[in-house]
Amino acid sequence: MTQSVVVQVGQCGNQVGCRFWDLALREHAHVNKKGLYDEALSSFFRNVDSRKSDGGACGIGGRIQHLKARAVLVDMEEGVVNEILQGPLREVFDSTQLLTDVSGSGNNWAVGHMTYGSAYREQIVDKLRKAVEHCDCLQCFFLIHSMGGGEKVLDSNLLEEEFPEVCRIVTSIYPSAEDDVITSPYNSVLAMRELTEHADCVLPIENQSLVDIVDKIKRMSHSGKPGLVIKRDSTIISGQGGLSGAEKPFDAMNNIVANLLLNITSSARFEGSLNMDLNEIAMNLVPFPRLHYLVPSLTPLYTLADVSVPTRRLDQMFSDAFSKDHQLIRADPKHSLYLACALMVRGNAQVSDLRRNIERLKPSLPFVSWNQEGWKTGLCSVPPVGHSHSLLALANNTCVKPTFMELRDRFTKLYRKKAHLHHYLQVEGMEQSFFSEATNSLSSLIEEYHHLDATKGRLMPDAPRLSIAR
Amino acid sequence: MSIVTVQLGQCGNQVGHELFDLLCSDAQQGQRKLYSTASCERFFHQTAHGELVARAVLVDMEPKVINQSISRAVKGGRWRYGESSHFSQKQGSGNNWANGYCVHGPRHRDVVEELVRREVERCDRLAGLMAMMSVAGGTGSGVGTYVTQCLRDIYPKSFILNHLTWPYGTGEVIVQNYNSVLTLAHLYQLSDAILVHENDTVHRICSQLLNIKHISFSDVNRVIAHQLGSIMQPALTADSHGVYSRNPLGELVSALTCHPEYKLLSVCTIPQMSSSSIAYSAFSWPGLLKHLRQMLISNTKMEEGIDWQVRPPAGSERTRSLTGPSFNTSLANLLILRGKDVYSAETGGFEDPALYTSWLPSEEAFNLWKSPVPFNKYEKSATLVSNSQALLRPLDNMVGKAWNMFASRAYIHQYIKFGISEEDFLDSFTSLEQVISSYSQLC
């Protein structure tokens, strides 16, 4: 069984990360009835017995003593991390995993990347190494951060340099158009470049989509229609049953992202009839190195309390996964071009359910000509808490193009006027060329998606086969 | 007389487990001492306490499936796997053939070879090796190909049969066609015979013949195990002189794969029905054999939806244009009959030269094995293992899709980073186009 290390950066990264650890503990508590430290737990947690003299690491099979998260928490401002350390999750982290400073990066990519990045590089690498050493087979880094903020003190570039063999899956929260951080377009575009060049997979998530999903669920649960009562604890936004008591403002949205990470890793942690490991995700969904932006969608959003016909509910789940309301960025993949798609089913679904739904939905989904059957499927037997089954869809789809174009437009609006530029350029090590290189990278990425889009719907002839001399 | 099985990857280990389960339960049914002894000798060895231990080596690059197979066998109580006959790593092959073949295979070569050697030494006489794997993923396909290569080097005189599971056409793994092409091209040089089961076909058998509503992989694997078991269980052959054959793999290979260009074998069995229906059904050999023959000719893999219009070409002059497109020409066939009144079964229909290619006389092309012992609760059952054009269309589709993807170079960077080149891809494509051409020309 492999392990993963979660690297949470900045305020957003740490708030999402905090929800992730809470829900992960809840999920394992639900499944792990015997209190033994098993392979599944070891993928995200270490088992530590502080009474032992050698540092206390316990192997698989023993009783759970103290679970410590395999995580590194970085924030140039100490507020969020301090809150975590005072909250119910404080036992899960220890001080060797944290790196904080006092004043923050001021929403300035240059400050985060150059000033703090170089000052703290050694310490960061040190903490990462420690986390890595505790793993006997590290498969993946999960990096969680927001694009709009300035916290670029640790990014996938550094991870690639220090740990080139380890897969880097980055969860990036993209700012909405009405973001309260004015310089978020600059930060986002600058960050995009290193994501395109150094991450293995990126899961882009837009705040606005999370808001929409939360609203939808709240409206459902307050609609008061008889027969449409939502089962307790069964929404993807609920943290009920976790350690934290009252829910804080962004918790609902962050729970969605946390559930995304739990679902992606479910097949690597739990058994199933068709396993889908993390390295298989990168292998199957990334046909060309730079096009590794995978649009996630999670269904169901909630489970109704009454028992409806199971098969119909299952099929509805598959249909929903492709609807634009369930995507975690504001995009409509059904009307763009699919390069590849992965379906990760959890719970009591069988291969025949998968096949039936793929057959049913395929005609309405445009796939690129050389990958007409571009489906990667996985079946995990353990469902998430509160549901009998769930589906995670990851789509490598050209519908990310409008998102990126919009980002570029917002960037250009600011850059043309040179608004706030001096804040960046006055940072030591920062040059104007960073901006132009970043925009070039983004433009060529958009161009690559555009090129693929242009082939959509066109009947591409099959490549002529090799002919054998008779 | 013993076969050592190597189960590779998730599929190989899941199917292998079902196979041993079925072989054990079939062997232990009823009063058939000779059959039971022969079968157990072939697939299991007995410990001092009388426990049956499968002659198998389990290999996977991640531990979950192997652990599951081992514990299920123990739970069943009738047989188990050897305590140390397995090898797994922590991190899988990521559906990447190159990762399996170039990295994991060589890295773990010594350990796997040692495990196989131990099983081989436990056999009084080795009948051959059977490797079970899928072609869609990374471990079964990549590591499986590498392991087959090693076994071929170490046991040059032994028979090696590769059992392959081909994935659903509509994709389980996006790069499955690449992995399949690379595997088949390599195995063609290494293996003595390649026996293929297609998930699509077996799925249809489950839904239409067995009437299973929610088909799971266990259901699929049990059908594969039934078909494979019906080939591998002891039988009386023309050369075995009244006792159960001691050289099943050798006889299978010499019956069916006499030419190095033609190694793909497909299998169909009749009857196949849900276990609750078996008790209420009666079968006659003429009926069963008539259906089976038509299934062969019209290339239908099950006894529903047979096209009775397809007939073998008349007359001695046969060229490609005369045989209809739906007629399935065979190179060789092996018919295995099991059950009651097996000696009275009339198999003349299968000896018709019109079924076969012109350059092999039908006495050579048709082979018959019999066993008076009913197999797996079917009073009478017939299995046909064919070296024919049955797999031509699926193979052609697979190569076509892989070629289209290769033309746009999609995913190639993932393979190159583990050590194979575009040249290697082209070589594999070339080999398979040759195989396709050979089978297309069969008439």
Side-chain angles (χ1 to χ4, degrees):
Chain A
M1 191 76 63
T2 53
Q3 287 90 31
S4 306
V5 170
V6 174
V7 183
Q8 23 193 104
V9 181
Q11 172 178 23
C12 171
N14 278 293
Q15 283 176 334
V16 172
C18 178
R19 297 312 315 137
F20 170 75
W21 291 110
D22 198 24
L23 291 182
L25 284 169
R26 177 175 83 147
E27 182 169 271
H28 280 280
H30 199 75
V31 173
N32 187 335
K33 297 295 180 209
K34 296 198 190 134
L36 293 176
Y37 177 61
D38 59 10
E39 295 271 6
L41 263 175
S42 95
S43 65
F44 279 119
F45 296 95
R46 295 187 290 137
N47 190 17
V48 169
D49 185 352
S50 41
R51 292 168 296 178
K52 279 163 88 185
S53 54
D54 60 350
C58 305
I60 311 267
R63 289 207 67 80
I64 297 176
Q65 306 283 354
H66 250 113
L67 290 176
K68 292 278 182 210
R70 296 191 193 277
V72 175
L73 290 71
V74 177
D75 197 350
M76 290 301 98
E77 191 176 54
E78 44 185 15
V80 177
V81 175
N82 277 344
E83 223 182 287
I84 296 179
L85 290 180
Q86 280 153 22
L89 283 176
R90 61 182 168 276
E91 298 292 319
V92 168
F93 305 106
D94 65 43
S95 56
T96 59
Q97 299 170 267
L98 316 170
L99 184 75
T100 58
D101 199 315
V102 182
S103 42
S105 307
N107 288 321
N108 185 327
W109 183 93
V111 170
H113 191 82
M114 320 230 89
T115 316
Y116 286 119
S118 45
Y120 284 107
R121 188 189 169 102
E122 247 182 74
Q123 282 191 49
I124 291 173
V125 173
D126 197 50
K127 288 182 196 292
L128 285 170
R129 269 195 208 295
K130 277 221 182 57
V132 170
E133 270 159 32
H134 287 304
C135 302
D136 57 33
C137 183
L138 176 63
Q139 184 169 51
C140 177
F141 280 116
F142 283 103
L143 183 58
I144 314 177
H145 67 168
S146 75
M147 299 290 280
E151 289 300 331
K152 278 307 160 291
V153 54
L154 161 56
D155 60 19
S156 52
N157 190 355
L158 192 150
L159 291 175
E160 185 175 25
E161 276 173 28
E162 298 292 327
F163 309 96
E165 301 283 309
V166 183
C167 187
R168 297 166 290 284
I169 300 186
V170 183
T171 307
S172 302
I173 318 288
Y174 280 71
S176 327
E178 316 78 34
D179 197 273
D180 53 357
V181 176
I182 300 187
T183 51
S184 66
Y186 284 160
N187 297 329
S188 304
V189 172
L190 288 163
M192 275 291 292
R193 173 162 174 229
E194 59 89 12
L195 279 186
T196 305
E197 289 175 17
H198 300 288
D200 288 311
C201 293
V202 179
L203 306 168
I205 301 183
E206 269 185 72
N207 261 342
Q208 190 56 46
S209 304
L210 297 179
V211 168
D212 291 340
I213 290 178
V214 171
D215 280 345
K216 189 166 161 186
I217 296 179
K218 293 246 162 83
R219 261 179 291 135
M220 258 310 297
S221 54
H222 294 132
S223 70
K225 284 198 215 140
L228 285 179
V229 175
I230 295 184
K231 201 165 113 179
R232 234 174 75 84
D233 301 351
S234 69
T235 67
I236 62 167
I237 62 170
S238 85
Q240 293 298 326
L243 283 177
S244 325
E247 293 196 353
K248 295 194 259 84
F250 285 104
D251 274 0
M253 290 162 60
N254 293 337
N255 280 335
I256 300 177
V257 184
N259 273 312
L260 166 66
L261 288 174
L262 284 177
N263 283 334
I264 272 194
T265 53
S266 60
S267 189
R269 290 176 291 137
F270 301 115
E271 57 168 36
S273 61
L274 190 58
N275 295 332
M276 181 156 94
D277 217 345
L278 293 166
N279 53 3
E280 293 174 20
I281 293 178
M283 172 68 184
N284 282 286
L285 292 176
V286 183
F288 303 104
R290 284 155 56 91
L291 304 184
H292 53 241
Y293 292 85
L294 311 176
V295 179
S297 76
L298 287 170
T299 55
L301 300 177
Y302 47 78
T303 307
L304 294 177
D306 67 349
V307 181
S308 31
V309 178
T311 313
R312 221 183 47 216
R313 199 166 50 165
L314 196 63
D315 286 8
Q316 184 59 43
M317 187 173 79
F318 278 90
S319 303
D320 284 341
F322 296 97
S323 90
K324 68 175 166 56
D325 297 333
H326 286 75
Q327 309 299 320
L328 297 187
I329 63 168
R330 273 187 312 160
D332 189 3
K334 264 183 151 158
H335 293 106
S336 309
L337 188 66
Y338 275 91
L339 300 178
C341 185
L343 295 174
M344 176 74 240
V345 183
R346 294 182 69 174
N348 62 350
Q350 299 299 347
V351 64
S352 51
D353 300 311
L354 253 183
R355 305 242 57 80
R356 181 181 66 244
N357 281 290
I358 291 181
E359 304 276 319
R360 183 173 65 90
L361 292 166
K362 215 193 139 335
S364 61
L365 300 170
F367 270 80
V368 76
S369 65
W370 44 258
N371 205 2
Q372 285 288 306
E373 279 101 16
W375 299 94
K376 165 70 183 157
T377 53
L379 288 165
C380 174
S381 357
V382 176
V385 178
H387 296 262
S388 58
H389 36 64
S390 76
L391 173 64
L392 163 70
L394 290 172
N396 191 340
N397 188 308
T398 56
C399 67
V400 291
K401 190 180 72 172
T403 310
F404 295 156
M405 284 170 66
E406 213 186 280
L407 195 63
R408 187 177 55 179
D409 287 342
R410 277 186 265 144
F411 173 94
T412 315
K413 258 201 213 115
L414 282 181
Y415 192 66
R416 257 205 316 249
K417 303 284 205 305
K418 304 224 185 316
H420 303 282
L421 211 51
H422 56 287
H423 290 302
Y424 290 77
L425 294 175
Q426 76 194 14
V427 173
E428 187 176 326
M430 185 70 185
E431 286 160 23
Q432 193 112 15
S433 60
F434 276 82
F435 284 94
S436 50
E437 277 163 20
T439 31
N440 284 340
S441 164
L442 183 57
S443 290
S444 73
L445 183 69
I446 293 174
E447 196 42 51
E448 281 181 57
Y449 278 111
H450 187 74
H451 189 66
L452 284 163
D453 253 343
T455 68
K456 178 182 169 202
R458 261 204 278 149
L459 211 58
M460 304 294 278
D462 283 343
R465 297 266 290 271
L466 296 176
S467 57
I468 304 292
R470 301 243 186 275
Chain B
M1 11 191 270
S2 302
I3 297 176
V4 171
T5 303
V6 185
Q7 306 179 177
L8 296 140
Q10 172 164 28
C11 174
N13 280 294
Q14 284 177 190
V15 177
H17 168 259
E18 293 290 350
L19 176 64
F20 280 105
D21 220 31
L22 185 138
L23 291 169
C24 180
S25 83
D26 178 57
Q28 294 184 328
Q29 241 172 25
Q31 310 287 351
R32 341 89 154 269
K33 193 100 185 6
L34 285 176
Y35 179 82
S36 169
T37 318
S39 168
C40 288
E41 175 67 38
R42 201 177 271 191
F43 298 107
F44 300 92
H45 88 267
Q46 280 207 325
T47 62
H49 308 290
E51 281 177 305
L52 287 176
V53 178
R55 298 188 193 276
V57 175
L58 297 79
V59 178
D60 200 355
M61 290 302 109
E62 60 108 1
K64 294 194 294 279
V65 182
I66 287 187
N67 289 341
Q68 227 180 21
S69 298
I70 292 181
S71 60
R72 275 203 197 135
V74 166
K75 244 187 244 161
R78 285 169 300 148
W79 64 276
R80 62 177 176 83
Y81 285 107
E83 260 134 33
S84 42
S85 304
H86 60 268
F87 173 74
S88 63
Q89 286 292 275
K90 305 264 184 175
Q91 188 168 179
S93 304
N95 289 164
N96 189 324
W97 188 94
N99 193 4
Y101 185 81
C102 306
V103 176
H104 284 128
R107 196 180 281 171
H108 307 301
R109 171 189 195 140
D110 291 338
V111 177
V112 175
E113 283 180 0
E114 177 59 28
L115 287 178
V116 175
R117 196 182 57 77
R118 264 196 264 151
E119 280 304 327
V120 168
E121 277 171 14
R122 268 199 270 262
C123 305
D124 272 344
R125 232 187 77 186
L126 183 66
L129 303 155
M130 178 164 70
M132 301 182 66
M133 56 222 238
S134 73
V135 291
T139 299
S141 66
V143 176
T145 305
Y146 189 81
V147 167
T148 306
Q149 195 171 292
C150 297
L151 294 179
R152 177 47 79 209
D153 285 336
I154 302 178
Y155 305 99
K157 302 266 177 38
S158 294
F159 295 106
I160 299 183
L161 169 70
N162 283 79
H163 175 264
L164 302 183
T165 304
W166 284 9
Y168 288 98
T170 49
E172 293 168 25
V173 169
I174 295 178
V175 291
Q176 63 189 38
N177 296 310
Y178 280 161
N179 293 336
S180 308
V181 164
L182 291 163
T183 306
L184 284 169
H186 280 78
L187 283 183
Y188 230 79
Q189 308 305 317
L190 303 165
S191 182
D192 289 308
I194 302 175
L195 183 62
V196 175
H197 271 104
E198 298 167 81
N199 269 347
D200 278 307
T201 306
V202 180
H203 190 103
R204 275 202 305 273
I205 292 178
C206 286
S207 79
Q208 293 179 253
L209 296 182
L210 302 179
N211 284 318
I212 302 177
K213 291 269 174 295
H214 297 288
I215 299 169
S216 64
F217 271 118
S218 305
D219 299 315
V220 171
N221 294 341
R222 260 176 238 135
V223 171
I224 296 180
H226 171 86
Q227 297 201 334
L228 198 47
S230 73
I231 303 173
M232 311 300 291
Q233 285 289 50
L236 307 163
T237 68
D239 296 335
S240 67
H241 309 301
V243 294
Y244 288 116
S245 166
R246 315 194 73 193
N247 188 14
L249 288 187
E251 299 203 41
L252 183 116
V253 166
S254 75
L256 292 171
T257 56
C258 58
H259 190 297
E261 270 304 308
Y262 303 92
K263 286 185 181 170
L264 292 177
L265 307 178
S266 60
V267 58
C268 48
T269 56
I270 193 175
Q272 290 237 238
M273 49 180 46
S274 64
S275 38
S276 46
S277 314
I278 299 180
Y280 301 105
S281 314
F283 305 104
S284 68
W285 286 118
L288 289 176
L289 292 176
K290 191 165 105 152
H291 278 76
L292 195 56
R293 181 177 182 271
Q294 194 61 24
M295 278 158 72
L296 167 67
I297 302 176
S298 63
N299 194 15
T300 332
K301 302 282 188 359
M302 51 184 197
E303 66 247 45
E304 221 165 282
I306 301 179
D307 183 355
W308 291 95
Q309 300 298 325
V310 179
R311 296 201 198 291
S316 53
E317 182 68 78
R318 272 210 316 250
T319 60
R320 258 303 63 211
S321 54
L322 283 182
T323 61
S326 45
F327 176 71
N328 181 28
T329 310
S330 302
L331 173 58
N333 281 307
L334 168 60
L335 181 63
I336 307 173
L337 304 179
R338 296 181 184 277
K340 205 162 142 218
D341 302 328
V342 82
Y343 296 105
S344 65
E346 223 346 287
T347 57
F350 287 94
E351 293 164 33
D352 181 359
L355 264 53
Y356 298 99
T357 178
S358 50
W359 46 264
L360 195 61
S362 61
E363 310 83 66
E364 301 287 327
F366 174 67
N367 300 269
L368 180 63
W369 293 0
K370 290 183 180 167
S371 160
V373 174
F375 171 70
N376 202 18
K377 307 195 185 87
Y378 286 93
E379 180 198 70
K380 299 187 177 84
S381 66
T383 300
L384 187 66
V385 188
S386 276
N387 189 340
S388 70
Q389 296 173 311
L391 291 167
L392 178 54
R393 176 103 53 83
L395 178 63
D396 191 53
N397 282 343
M398 177 195 283
V399 174
K401 286 187 211 159
W403 183 247
N404 260 340
M405 205 183 259
F406 184 70
S408 49
R409 293 297 183 277
Y411 300 102
I412 298 296
H413 69 284
Q414 308 267 19
Y415 288 86
I416 291 188
K417 86 173 169 219
F418 286 104
I420 66 169
S421 65
E422 289 192 14
E423 269 307 301
D424 295 319
F425 270 97
L426 284 171
D427 287 342
S428 297
F429 279 113
T430 314
S431 310
L432 290 187
E433 292 288 359
Q434 181 65 60
V435 172
I436 291 172
S437 168
S438 304
Y439 273 103
S440 305
Q441 300 274 292
L442 204 61
C443 67

